[in-house]
Amino acid sequence: HEGYGIVNGYGSRSAAEALAYTQGMGANAVTIIPYSFINDANVPQQLPIPTSAGSENDESVLHAVLEAKRLGLHVTIKPQIWLRGGWPGDIEMLNEADWETFFQHYERWIGHYAVMSELYGVDMLCVGTELSKTTLSHPDRWRTMTAEWRALYSGPMVYASNWGEEFENLEFWDAFDFIAVNSYYPICDKDAPSDRDLRKGAESAVSRLAAVHRRHNKPIIITEIGYPSTSMPWKAPWLENRELGAHVEDQARCYEAICRALDDQPWLRGIYWWKWPSYLDRGGPDELGFTPNGKPAADVVTAWFNAW
C-alpha cells in the first residue's frame, strides 16, 4: 500500500494494474501487507485495524486479495506493526504483566486477519514480522498463540523472522509450515566490488539460510528480500542511504548476485521481493527506495522469474 489514498492504495484500480504488471514479469505470488501502528515500544497498546478512507482498511485489503486471486496469484496476508521512531524488533515490555497484555492485543489483532484469510481463501497467513525480542524471550507464548490462530485459519502459516540472531536462534519453527526469513544479510563490505565479489558474498548469505534448513529439516520461504537503489546497497541492504543519490545499477547487481546464489536451492520454496508499489508511478531511475519498479532490477527479476 504505497499510495496512501483511495486512488492509488490497495483498494484502487491502480493496485489492480500493479498486480497485473507483476504477473507479466513472471511473478506467481504476492504478499498483501496491512499495517497497524503503535507509538511506544515498551508500553502495551491495542493494535487498531485501519478504517479511514484510503488506508489499509479491510475493504481495500480484500480488494487487493481478490484481484490477485483473480489473476491466479498465490496470496499471502502479512500484517505488520509500524512502530513510530523504531522497528518491530524494538518492541519489549518491561514486566510480565505488560507482556501478557501485549500478547492479548496481538493475538486478537492477528486473529482478525486469520478469520479474513479463512473466509476469503487466502493461500497463506504470516502471523508476525521481525518481532525478535518478543519471540526470543517468549517462545511458549508464541506457540500458544499459533495454536489459537490455527483454530481460525486452516491454511499454511508462517512467521517472518528477522535475518541473523532471530532467524538463526528461533525455538519454535516446528509450529509453522515453513521457516520464513526477511533476508537482509550484507553481501560485501567493499566500496567497489566486482560481480564475483558480490556473488561470493551472496553465496555466503545463502549458506546461512541453508544451515537453518538443515538444523530444522524444513523448507524456507524468504518473506522479504531486496536492496534499495542507493549507493553500495550490498553493505547494509536494510538501509536507504539517501545522501548519495540514486544508484540503480548497484541495486540491479545485488539482485543478480542473490538470484544466482539462490538458483536451484532445493530447500527454497519462494521469495518475495521487498517491495512492489500499489501504483506504477512509484519508482523509476531517480527513486531511492527498495522498489525495483522502473529500474534495471525489474529486468533482473523478470529474467529470473521466467527462468525459474
Side-chain angles (χ1 to χ4, degrees), residues 116-246:
M116 177 189 292
S117 298
E118 181 70 16
L119 290 174
Y120 289 91
V122 171
D123 299 291
M124 189 166 71
L125 176 65
C126 182
V127 298
T129 299
E130 298 176 0
L131 292 157
S132 54
K133 290 181 179 177
T134 80
T135 59
L136 295 177
S137 66
H138 289 77
D140 291 340
R141 190 65 174 84
W142 273 91
R143 287 183 183 278
T144 300
M145 291 193 299
T146 302
E148 293 295 329
W149 296 323
R150 286 198 182 277
L152 303 174
Y153 174 68
S154 59
M157 192 177 293
V158 295
Y159 168 79
S161 60
N162 191 45
W163 65 278
E165 180 185 11
E166 184 186 27
F167 166 63
E168 294 172 18
N169 294 288
L170 205 66
E171 296 181 11
F172 51 85
W173 284 129
D174 58 295
F176 293 101
D177 296 277
F178 302 94
I179 296 170
V181 59
N182 292 355
S183 183
Y184 296 100
Y185 285 98
I187 60 173
C188 194
D189 60 3
K190 296 181 180 179
D191 289 351
S194 66
D195 289 344
R196 186 174 183 274
D197 292 331
L198 294 180
R199 172 72 181 274
K200 184 177 179 180
E203 290 172 348
S204 177
V206 169
S207 72
R208 303 187 75 154
L209 306 185
V212 175
H213 156 69
R214 289 193 298 271
R215 193 179 314 142
H216 297 278
N217 193 29
K218 183 166 288 195
I220 292 177
I221 291 176
I222 301 177
T223 36
E224 290 180 26
I225 191 168
Y227 305 87
S229 53
T230 53
S231 181
M232 296 178 284
W234 46 77
K235 287 188 175 184
W238 61 93
L239 292 178
E240 296 178 3
N241 182 1
R242 295 175 173 267
E243 297 178 359
L244 300 178

Side-chain angles (χ1 to χ4, degrees), residues 26-88:
N28 61 10
V30 65
T31 294
I32 308 299
I33 302 175
Y35 277 95
S36 192
F37 299 84
I38 62 175
N39 297 314
D40 194 321
N42 306 122
V43 177
Q45 303 162 59
Q46 290 188 1
L47 293 161
I49 308 295
T51 58
S52 61
S55 71
E56 294 130 315
N57 54 55
D58 286 354
E59 293 84 356
S60 65
V61 169
L62 285 172
H63 174 266
V65 166
L66 295 174
E67 184 63 24
K69 289 181 69 66
R70 186 187 69 80
L71 292 167
L73 296 169
H74 182 282
V75 181
T76 296
I77 285 185
K78 182 170 172 270
Q80 295 187 195
I81 295 176
W82 186 281
L83 174 62
R84 291 181 173 89
W87 68 294

Side-chain angles (χ1 to χ4, degrees), residues 1-4 8 18 21 25 227-230 240 242 246-248 251 255 274-298:
H1 186 88
E2 287 282 84
Y4 313 110
N8 52 15
Y21 195 96
M25 295 171 65
Y227 305 87
S229 53
T230 53
E240 296 178 3
R242 295 175 173 267
H247 291 258
V248 293
Q251 179 191 41
Y255 269 66
W274 183 267
K275 53 187 175 175
W276 194 259
S278 55
Y279 68 112
L280 293 173
D281 291 340
R282 180 70 174 254
D286 297 322
E287 201 269 343
L288 301 172
F290 280 89
T291 183
N293 183 37
K295 307 171 188 177

